[in-house]
Amino acid sequence: MKTVTDYFGCDVFSASVMKERLPAEVYAEFQRTLDTGHRLNIDVANVIANAMKDWAIEKGATHYTHWFQPLTGITAEKHDSFITSKKDGRVIMEFSGKELIQGEPDASSFPSGGLRATFEARGYTAWDPTSFAFIKNGVLCIPTAFCSYGGEALDKKTPLLRSMEAINKQTLRILKLFGHDDVVAVKTTVGPEQEYFLIDKDVFHKRKDLVYTGRTLFGAMPPKGQELDDHYFGAIKPRVQAFMKSVDEELWRLGVLAKTEHNEAAPAQHELAPIFTTTNIATDHNQITMEVMQKCAKEHGMICLLHEKPFAGVNGSGKHNNWSISTSTGANLLEPGETPAENAQFLLFLCAVIKAVDDYQDLLRISIASAGNDHRLGAQEAPPAIVSMFLGEELTSILEAIEKDEDIDNREKELLKVGVHVLPRFPKDTTDRNRTSPFAFTGNKFEFRMLGSSASVAGPNTTLNTAVAEVLSQFADELENTSDFEGTLHQLIKKVIKNHKRIIFNGNGYDDAWVKEAEGRGLLNLKTTPDCLPYMLHKKNVDLYEKHKVYSETEIKAHYEIKNEKYCKYLNIEVLTMIEMAKKDILPCVSRNIHELADTVISKRSISESIDTSYELSLVEKLSELSAKAYSDVNSLEALSKEVKTIEESDAAAMFYKNNIIPVMNSLRASVDEMETLCSSEHWCYPSYGDLLFSVR
Ligand code: ADP
Ligand code: MG
């Protein structure tokens, strides 16, 4: 039997495969391209393409695709076969350097927010050589970035790569000041923990809402939910275990470092976490992970739900984005050091993240905003929509001491100069206790916990990288121009703590008191997607992205459009699904139930006028009242969904959904859910929450 180490990464055209298959000078040239970020020259690309093709064909591949992440949030691929026809009617298998480096898919159906004029439907895909090609379902997949004819980003990958460039540049400036001339590059690292639900395929297909929208739009709570806490870390069911095994095997073949799996808090909810890696690769790998999970679930007769909130009243699913910065010499810049100088450097990076999160709360909030995630944030299960940071008592008290120039060890003040000879190491378990914080320091990395389970991690990391790059550039400006490095550094750290400590909150983020306190501190509380999106266009934010060349103003406007449009489209589908379910299934079922009850009353009375009919009558009355209310909401929804189509601006339409349509959807749901508890099981047309959540046995 093959062991994991034998087959790990066997479907990846990795550095080691390249080293083995490419002439030494070509491989060296490729490495240089990776190190310097320069464009690959076409002769080198031709040799690589040919080797890649031979390798792929040996592995049974017949097609290749430029695999990219358009702004829809999922990955896209168009398959081309390697065949080229010959004059004699035969074919040969060919793949050129040009085809490797650049592709030209017809991009007209991908969202572009007006970036690509309709007459110029073409988009370009360009290989990201830092993310290796791989074979998936017999197709050679080449990870690429996707741009318009004018070079504007039409995908999530391009801005991410630009943001990595920005943070690399600014971090190197800082590291130089600390004497680290040996560091040639800095990369951010990410380990995204992925939550999901598994439900049985048969019950899934009986729910139109799950099929069309990925979440239940109706559904009363079952007698048993997650209150017993008996699922979290509980024994994994054999069927789920078998699924996880297939997922692992497939991911390992693709070089994805799948590491931890366990049951999550809600029934049917699970989590998969990989070992962290460089951010752009982690992003690709997370997309692959979601795809593989969905595919394997089907093979095991189940459906993997990635929606942020498939079930009301039960925990939703998020994605914890563990993030750090690591150097080409192998140092983690968010790891507290052993020596005073290392600690000063650590504190500076820590302060950079603190200031970045405070200055760009709005952008971080926007980066995780979606119609689906709106159901999660602020509920008693996910961080609130308020962005704050958890540092732990220990680190916070050190920062307080620095701010006040106190000596925490009661030693001489002098000892504290340059931030702290006395900085202790932070055992991970003292820093990772608070699970309610949106942005928590966990010993040697930050965990950004607001991400929704279905979204790509590209956006949040683009924002985080850029915001931190900006603060580091401000720090570098100050520190490069001083004759007293230590003094300036100390003052800088003090100033940041003083001005930005409002963002630090170590308490319970689920507590209502926090909402009040946060307001007092002047922190933003942007509850929904339409509330936060307009902040994207604020000058400070446009300036940030432009300065670091991550998004141009045109791109920001386009992305703003797309985010609003996407929100509206999701809601439109939800509204139409609700209307269809209510009109075609739910209301007719309730009527039949009423009819049966009324018939019973008549039959009973035909036997004797004195027989008690109070049970049937009260149900008839209650169900009639609720169905009339539901019917009126359905009519309102129909009218409102026509009205929203007349609103031209997508942001105004998004606001209309939020203010005018969602309340009616909620009202309709309330009536329907109550009717579900009153109707006989025989008359209810959909599998219940109980049927769904406990469907995998
Ligand atoms: P938890 O208690 O949250 O499950 P773990 O220590 O298991 O914490 O880590 C969670 C995730 O954080 C894993 O995916 C891990 O690979 C990732 N991680 C660890 N160190 C780093 C780092 N330096 N940069 C980015 N991610 C990291
Ligand atoms: Mg975690």
Side-chain angles (χ1 to χ4, degrees):
M1 205 180 89
K2 275 201 161 183
T3 64
V4 178
T5 44
D6 289 332
Y7 70 80
F8 185 85
C10 67
D11 290 339
V12 184
F13 194 66
S14 61
S16 58
V17 177
M18 280 192 246
K19 195 162 183 189
E20 207 179 281
R21 292 185 167 245
L22 294 172
E25 66 282 4
V26 173
Y27 181 73
E29 184 55 38
F30 174 73
Q31 271 302 334
R32 250 193 305 282
T33 305
L34 290 194
D35 294 342
T36 58
H38 287 148
R39 244 185 113 83
L40 210 57
N41 101 29
I42 188 72
D43 299 327
V44 173
N46 276 326
V47 181
I48 298 176
N50 199 45
M52 200 186 268
K53 176 208 69 187
D54 289 344
W55 170 82
I57 289 173
E58 281 167 32
K59 298 217 153 260
T62 49
H63 289 68
Y64 71 93
T65 182
H66 277 200
W67 185 76
F68 59 101
Q69 297 175 41
L71 295 165
T72 50
I74 52 164
T75 52
E77 42 196 80
K78 180 190 104 189
H79 302 168
D80 280 303
S81 73
F82 292 120
I83 62 166
T84 304
S85 62
K86 288 271 129 192
K87 281 205 186 88
D88 61 3
R90 291 185 308 161
V91 293
I92 53 162
M93 302 295 257
E94 258 182 5
F95 185 49
S96 69
K98 190 167 165 290
E99 287 167 313
L100 167 64
I101 301 178
Q102 191 169 309
E104 256 184 61
D106 176 359
S108 52
S109 299
F110 292 113
S112 79
L115 276 182
R116 195 192 41 237
T118 30
F119 61 85
E120 181 45 90
R122 273 179 304 171
Y124 290 89
T125 49
W127 183 31
D128 164 17
T130 59
S131 186
F132 299 126
F134 56 92
I135 295 175
K136 185 170 60 81
N137 308 329
V139 177
L140 171 68
C141 298
I142 301 153
T144 53
F146 179 44
C147 301
S148 76
Y149 183 71
E152 285 105 353
L154 292 174
D155 69 346
K156 293 177 181 265
K157 191 75 177 281
T158 311
L160 177 67
L161 291 170
R162 292 175 185 161
S163 75
M164 288 173 71
E165 182 94 38
I167 197 167
N168 172 54
K169 188 169 152 196
Q170 302 306 332
T171 308
L172 287 178
R173 284 174 70 192
I174 299 283
L175 290 179
K176 248 196 188 72
L177 294 166
F178 281 91
H180 298 298
D181 294 327
D182 50 337
V183 176
V184 292
V186 164
K187 286 179 174 161
T188 53
T189 51
V190 162
E193 301 166 57
Q194 175 75 47
E195 291 180 339
Y196 60 96
F197 279 85
L198 282 179
I199 60 168
D200 189 84
K201 173 173 108 307
D202 293 335
V203 281
F204 169 84
H205 284 291
K206 289 187 183 137
R207 294 278 317 207
K208 288 181 187 166
D209 44 5
L210 282 178
V211 172
Y212 293 141
T213 72
R215 76 177 182 105
T216 52
L217 300 170
F218 300 108
M221 278 306 287
K224 176 178 177 343
Q226 65 191 59
E227 53 283 284
L228 297 180
D229 287 327
D230 53 355
H231 192 253
Y232 190 58
F233 278 38
I236 299 174
K237 294 179 182 123
R239 200 166 155 202
V240 175
Q241 188 77 59
F243 154 85
M244 286 176 173
K245 186 166 179 281
S246 320
V247 170
D248 279 344
E249 276 170 17
E250 200 142 326
L251 289 178
W252 288 337
R253 291 178 67 93
L254 290 166
V256 178
L257 296 154
K259 174 84 176 164
T260 328
E261 276 136 318
H262 60 79
N263 286 352
E264 261 299 329
Q269 193 183 29
H270 310 278
E271 180 186 294
L272 184 153
I275 298 173
F276 70 96
T277 179
T278 311
T279 305
N280 59 324
I281 297 168
T283 303
D284 286 355
H285 282 183
N286 183 247
Q287 295 296 128
I288 294 174
T289 301
M290 292 193 285
E291 201 179 313
V292 166
M293 288 196 316
Q294 286 177 309
K295 179 176 149 252
C296 288
K298 285 204 181 114
E299 288 163 4
H300 289 264
M302 298 182 287
I303 298 289
C304 171
L305 299 177
L306 290 171
H307 194 283
E308 282 71 23
K309 192 73 182 175
F311 306 100
V314 187
N315 272 9
S317 300
K319 185 137 53 188
H320 292 173
N321 189 81
N322 295 275
W323 177 93
S324 192
I325 318 171
S326 116
T327 68
S328 54
T329 50
N332 175 355
L333 295 175
L334 292 177
E335 179 90 50
E338 308 277 357
T339 65
E342 280 171 8
N343 279 336
Q345 183 188 303
F346 161 73
L347 279 174
L348 189 69
F349 281 104
L350 181 74
C351 284
V353 182
I354 294 172
K355 185 171 191 302
V357 173
D358 189 27
D359 284 348
Y360 298 102
Q361 295 162 45
D362 46 0
L363 285 181
L364 288 168
R365 169 69 184 89
I366 290 164
S367 75
I368 51 92
S370 70
N373 217 13
D374 281 357
H375 296 289
R376 238 182 105 242
L377 298 177
Q380 297 293 308
E381 52 169 284
I386 307 162
V387 178
S388 69
M389 286 173 103
F390 169 87
L391 294 182
E393 299 304 332
E394 208 172 7
L395 194 49
T396 307
S397 67
I398 290 165
L399 296 187
E400 275 165 6
I402 297 171
E403 186 199 348
K404 298 192 187 103
D405 260 336
E406 276 169 13
D407 187 342
I408 28 173
D409 253 6
N410 290 326
R411 278 181 263 167
E412 299 289 296
K413 254 199 186 139
E414 189 52 27
L415 270 177
L416 263 170
K417 196 145 174 240
V418 194
V420 241
H421 299 52
V422 284
L423 199 61
R425 284 186 83 74
F426 310 99
K428 199 176 160 285
D429 46 333
T430 68
T431 54
D432 199 21
R433 289 277 155 75
N434 188 326
R435 296 257 157 198
T436 66
S437 173
F439 205 99
F441 182 66
T442 54
N444 59 3
K445 62 186 187 294
F446 277 98
E447 188 167 328
F448 186 18
R449 299 200 176 112
M450 295 172 92
L451 284 72
S453 48
S454 69
S456 160
V457 300
N461 285 297
T462 302
T463 304
L464 191 51
N465 291 342
T466 314
V468 175
E470 167 56 24
V471 176
L472 290 173
S473 84
Q474 295 167 12
F475 287 1
D477 289 346
E478 210 165 312
L479 293 168
E480 280 165 356
N481 294 310
T482 175
S483 50
D484 173 18
F485 179 72
E486 293 200 356
T488 313
L489 178 64
H490 188 58
Q491 285 313 316
L492 182 64
I493 290 174
K494 262 179 75 169
K495 191 171 72 188
V496 171
I497 300 169
K498 183 164 177 293
N499 294 341
H500 299 281
K501 64 181 175 196
R502 64 170 187 167
I503 198 79
I504 300 166
F505 176 63
N506 294 325
N508 181 2
Y510 297 174
D511 202 341
D512 288 337
W514 167 232
V515 176
K516 274 221 144 54
E517 187 183 333
E519 198 181 320
R521 293 187 188 191
L523 299 180
L524 293 168
N525 184 3
L526 304 169
K527 293 201 181 102
T528 69
T529 301
D531 292 323
C532 71
L533 289 183
Y535 284 74
M536 250 173 115
L537 305 179
H538 286 193
K539 184 169 182 314
K540 115 182 175 301
N541 295 333
V542 175
D543 287 350
L544 169 78
Y545 284 131
E546 288 224 292
K547 174 175 167 190
H548 295 281
K549 301 191 168 52
V550 171
Y551 293 109
S552 66
E553 189 166 0
T554 327
E555 286 172 339
I556 295 171
K557 287 189 173 145
H559 285 227
Y560 176 69
E561 253 328 272
I562 291 168
K563 276 180 184 276
N564 277 300
E565 271 171 18
K566 199 166 153 185
Y567 178 84
C568 295
K569 281 183 186 161
Y570 270 104
L571 273 145
N572 180 45
I573 296 171
E574 290 192 350
V575 170
L576 297 182
T577 306
M578 269 193 137
I579 294 174
E580 175 170 324
M581 289 173 78
K583 270 177 47 173
K584 296 231 157 107
D585 300 325
I586 297 167
L587 290 171
C589 284
V590 175
S591 283
R592 273 196 295 278
N593 201 151
I594 293 173
H595 179 76
E596 193 180 284
L597 291 162
D599 263 358
T600 312
V601 173
I602 294 167
S603 326
K604 279 185 173 180
R605 284 187 179 158
S606 73
I607 299 167
S608 157
E609 281 294 326
S610 61
I611 295 184
D612 191 328
T613 52
S614 55
Y615 160 65
E616 290 84 1
L617 282 177
S618 81
L619 268 185
V620 165
E621 216 166 285
K622 189 77 203 153
L623 284 172
S624 303
E625 186 192 311
L626 286 166
S627 54
K629 194 163 170 292
Y631 182 59
S632 137
D633 284 339
V634 168
N635 287 335
S636 306
L637 280 181
E638 282 185 323
L640 288 165
S641 67
K642 285 204 182 81
E643 189 179 342
V644 73
K645 297 275 160 50
T646 64
I647 303 174
E648 239 163 65
E649 299 297 328
S650 63
D651 46 5
M655 222 17 132
F656 188 85
Y657 272 109
K658 185 207 139 190
N659 290 332
N660 303 61
I661 298 187
I662 290 181
V664 185
M665 292 168 74
N666 292 340
S667 159
L668 173 59
R669 175 170 189 156
S671 310
V672 169
D673 289 358
E674 197 178 341
M675 291 194 285
E676 184 182 347
T677 65
L678 299 173
C679 271
S680 74
S681 312
E682 181 199 349
H683 281 104
W684 200 252
C685 37
Y686 294 118
S688 68
Y689 264 29
D691 299 334
L692 292 166
L693 286 167
F694 301 96
S695 61
V696 174
R697 277 183 281 270

